[in-house]
Every structure is written in structure tokens, then in C-alpha cells.
Amino acid sequence: MSTSVKTKSNIVQYLSFIVDNEEYCVDILHVQEIRGWEKPKPIPKAPKYLKGVLNLRSQVIPVVDLRLRFDLEEKEYTKTTVVIFLKVDALQQIVGLVVDAVSEVYSVASSQIKPSPEIAESEDSKYIDALALIGEKMIAVINMDKVFDKELLTQFNEQH
């Protein structure tokens, strides 16, 4: 189940975004900033999904392409491509997440959050924390602690 912080009325706000024509969301309390796409400084020998680093208020922030992290086809960045800077609790750091587009902010009641079905331990499903039922939509709630390779980012932090 989601580890989101709830308000007194059990409503949680989620920022939704698009990756490969699918809508996903994250707890808005983890979002630090959203910027249009800018090419990061590449890191030699990094995995393909780690696009490089960007400067965010004098901090060197690793940038991960979520499309590549999900093993989807690489796509040219467009004017709707954005980098969402998120605080990842397990790492105690901010990480940039490249997505195809930002969609909207949803206010979701705790009764609308359902556990993700455990059909199989597929690479994609392991990143999904829960499903938000919003009207006729079912939006995957991404667990950012599971998306980021802690070992890789720990090595990155030691080098920077």
C-alpha cells in the first residue's frame, strides 16, 4: 500500500505523468520541482537509463529516464518532455525523473487506493506500489524507492 502522507480527511494528492502513453503518478509531497527537458551532463559507463546529471540549486542531481528504466523503447525528447525532481526517501536524496509529459494533480481518497495485484514479479510491476481508481481511470502509483538502483546511486554519491 502507498506510504503517502494523508491529510486529516484521508485525501492524498498525486502528480500524474505520462510514459509511453500510460499514466502513472507519485505522491506530490515527494515532488521538489518540474522543469522542461534539458540535456544533462553524461556520466561515462553509466547504465543507459541514467542520462547524466543536472544542477538543481547548486546540487548535482542524477537524472533517470523512466521510459528506459521500464525497458521501453527509447524516444526522442519533445517540448512536452519534462524532468520531475523527486525526493527519494530510501536514498535521502533528490533524483531527476525524465517522463514524456506531466498530466495533472489528483486528490485521491484512501478508499480509492487499491493494492497492486501480485500477478507475477515482472520487471515493470515491481515498481508499482498501488493503483489509484479515479473515475473510470486506473493509474499506477509508482514507488520511487523501488525505481532507483540504490547501489548505483550510492556509488554516484560517493564520486560526487
Side-chain angles (χ1 to χ4, degrees), residues 1-49:
M1 188 59 80
S2 175
T3 57
S4 302
V5 176
K6 296 181 174 128
T7 63
K8 292 178 185 168
S9 60
N10 287 331
I11 300 292
V12 179
Q13 287 194 313
Y14 290 97
L15 174 69
S16 71
F17 51 86
I18 307 298
V19 175
D20 197 36
N21 296 317
E22 291 291 329
E23 193 171 14
Y24 298 92
C25 64
V26 293
D27 185 331
I28 201 160
L29 295 178
H30 292 279
V31 176
Q32 303 292 306
E33 187 172 321
I34 301 170
R35 286 189 187 175
W37 168 251
E38 60 182 278
K39 184 174 173 47
K41 173 108 176 105
I43 300 172
K45 298 185 181 180
K48 192 170 184 175
Y49 65 84

Side-chain angles (χ1 to χ4, degrees), residues 85-98:
F85 292 94
L86 300 159
K87 178 134 172 74
V88 179
D89 290 337
L91 302 171
Q92 291 299 303
Q93 82 173 68
I94 297 171
V95 178
L97 192 67
V98 181

Side-chain angles (χ1 to χ4, degrees), residues 42-102:
I43 300 172
K45 298 185 181 180
K48 192 170 184 175
Y49 65 84
L50 183 58
K51 301 308 286 183
V53 293
L54 286 173
N55 180 349
L56 178 68
R57 294 187 287 282
S58 299
Q59 284 186 289
V60 177
I61 307 295
V63 177
V64 172
D65 187 319
L66 194 56
R67 174 183 282 278
L68 299 179
R69 184 67 173 135
F70 285 177
D71 290 324
L72 299 170
E73 186 178 319
E74 193 165 6
K75 180 181 167 187
E76 188 174 324
Y77 300 125
T78 68
K79 63 182 177 183
T80 64
T81 303
V82 297
V83 180
I84 303 171
F85 292 94
L86 300 159
K87 178 134 172 74
V88 179
D89 290 337
L91 302 171
Q92 291 299 303
Q93 82 173 68
I94 297 171
V95 178
L97 192 67
V98 181
V99 299
D100 296 341
V102 169

